[in-house]
Amino acid sequence: MKALLGLLFLAAATLVAAQDYPAKPVVIVVPAAAGGPTDTLTRVLAQAMGNAMKSQFIIENAGGAGGIIGINKAAKARADGYTLLLYHIGMSTAPSLYRKLPYDTLADFDYIGQVADVPMTLIARKGTAAASFGEFLAYIKANRDKVTYAQAGIGSASYLCGLLFMTSIDTQFTQVPYKGTGPAMNDLVGGQVDFMCDQTTNTVPQIKSGNVRVYAVTTASRLASLPDVPTLDEQGVKGFDLVVWNGLFAPRGTPKAALERLVAALQAAVQDPAFRSRLADLGAEPVPPAKATPDSLRTLLKSEIDKWTPIIRKSGVYAD
């Protein structure tokens, strides 16, 4: 009888907790430095989801180790709906970049949904002499031992873009790792490094302000936010097409009621005119509601792991 009463009490307490959720601010862990593209996207999303849930969302930056530190922090967090993870394509590359991870990418998370697709741009320091991509490419090939490429660590989107770019032009160059593309951008603007490939959420403001020189976008088609910037493909790097997807995750075991509320808030966010307008300004595109679902994100992550594993293994580069 006591056991039955205990179960009934637990069930009642769980129901009350679900009805009260969220009773405090929700933390979104970002495995990247403040000021970078993932951080920027997350802050815009936090505002939109906060409005939808009438609650506060707080950003916690936990950069380093190509995102592994932040991802592991979220994976090991209490599964109560108050800690989430916003991350991108790096979720799918870590299993092949690291021979041993402190978490299981597919098994240690619940899925909320895809958030947005973010193109990338190839940019260089303002004082770069090359007036066109063709001239810049010739400069890289002639100075491969001196030219420096900034990226946010092995496994980051900027690292992956650099890896694909080197493969596509059959030229190696020196990569300089940072703890996020926020500090990398600071050094690029300051002229300490030569060039980088980064997401539009980080580069569009710098491009429009004239703080950097832009040579190309990484998508198959030109961007509405940068209509005069040609693609790599149309400038001779055939087949180059890279878009950074972003997804929202929760620690495995998060209560179903909390997940349902979070999915509903995400669905509202990707349809919010203010959210869509802000992302458009940054060259990013919210996913349609059909992709802002647990099943869609789960399927995407699995397919992206399958896609990137052979590419990374062929490079022979590991992060550990």
Side-chain angles (χ1 to χ4, degrees), residues 137 141 161-171 232 236-241:
L137 184 58
K141 287 178 175 289
C161 186
L163 178 65
L164 288 180
F165 186 56
M166 284 193 293
T167 300
S168 299
I169 66 174
D170 193 27
T171 301
L232 282 168
V237 189
K238 294 301 181 183
F240 200 105
D241 185 8

Side-chain angles (χ1 to χ4, degrees), residues 28-33 36-39 41-42 45 60-72 74 84-95 97-98 101 103 105 109 111-118 152-160 178-181 199 244-250 297 300-301:
I28 305 180
V29 176
V30 178
T38 309
D39 175 74
L41 171 63
T42 308
L45 176 67
E60 181 177 337
N61 296 96
I68 302 305
I69 293 173
I71 298 171
N72 187 51
L84 309 178
L85 170 70
L86 191 293
Y87 207 42
H88 54 47
I89 193 172
M91 287 287 284
S92 59
T93 58
L97 280 168
Y98 289 82
L101 286 172
Y103 58 85
T105 304
F109 293 96
Y111 301 84
I112 297 171
Q114 294 182 57
V115 176
D117 292 326
V118 186
I154 293 178
S156 65
S158 53
Y159 168 81
L160 295 170
Y178 288 80
K179 290 184 177 180
T181 48
Q199 299 172 67
V244 180
W245 59 266
N246 292 265
L248 192 61
F249 304 82
L297 179 56
L300 173 68
L301 178 58

Side-chain angles (χ1 to χ4, degrees), residues 16-273:
V16 170
Q19 292 173 338
D20 290 342
Y21 177 83
K24 60 181 181 180
V26 177
V27 174
I28 305 180
V29 176
V30 178
T38 309
D39 175 74
T40 299
L41 171 63
T42 308
R43 291 180 189 278
V44 179
L45 176 67
Q47 182 66 48
M49 289 186 67
N51 291 339
M53 290 182 68
K54 295 180 171 55
S55 185
Q56 184 180 13
F57 283 73
I58 298 173
I59 310 304
E60 181 177 337
N61 296 96
I68 302 305
I69 293 173
I71 298 171
N72 187 51
K73 185 180 184 69
K76 300 298 192 294
R78 185 175 179 181
D80 56 6
Y82 291 100
T83 300
L84 309 178
L85 170 70
L86 191 293
Y87 207 42
H88 54 47
I89 193 172
M91 287 287 284
S92 59
T93 58
S96 50
L97 280 168
Y98 289 82
R99 283 162 288 200
K100 185 176 182 181
L101 286 172
Y103 58 85
D104 186 312
T105 304
L106 292 172
D108 287 350
F109 293 96
D110 282 325
Y111 301 84
I112 297 171
Q114 294 182 57
V115 176
D117 292 326
V118 186
M120 304 186 80
T121 55
L122 187 71
I123 57 175
R125 55 185 173 82
K126 186 176 180 179
T128 304
S132 66
F133 172 74
E135 291 180 9
F136 184 61
L137 184 58
Y139 171 78
I140 293 174
K141 287 178 175 289
N143 297 275
R144 65 181 71 190
D145 296 330
K146 297 189 299 182
V147 70
T148 51
Y149 174 85
Q151 41 98 330
I154 293 178
S156 65
S158 53
Y159 168 81
L160 295 170
C161 186
L163 178 65
L164 288 180
F165 186 56
M166 284 193 293
T167 300
S168 299
I169 66 174
D170 193 27
T171 301
Q172 298 290 316
F173 42 74
T174 301
Q175 297 201 46
V176 182
Y178 288 80
K179 290 184 177 180
T181 48
M185 178 65 78
N186 290 337
D187 274 8
L188 183 69
V189 171
Q192 279 77 51
V193 286
D194 292 317
F195 77 116
M196 67 187 294
C197 179
D198 197 19
Q199 299 172 67
T200 53
T201 41
N202 197 32
T203 63
V204 167
Q206 300 291 351
I207 292 169
K208 292 188 173 181
S209 297
N211 293 329
V212 297
R213 181 186 286 273
V214 59
Y215 288 112
V217 296
T218 65
T219 46
S221 302
R222 295 195 183 195
L223 307 180
S225 57
L226 298 168
D228 296 328
V229 180
T231 68
L232 282 168
D233 180 84
E234 68 182 274
Q235 296 184 97
V237 189
K238 294 301 181 183
F240 200 105
D241 185 8
L242 179 60
V243 176
V244 180
W245 59 266
N246 292 265
L248 192 61
F249 304 82
R252 174 57 61 90
T254 297
K256 181 180 179 182
L259 289 173
E260 289 175 345
R261 288 216 60 191
L262 290 164
V263 171
L266 176 60
Q267 292 266 323
V270 299
Q271 299 176 80
D272 178 12

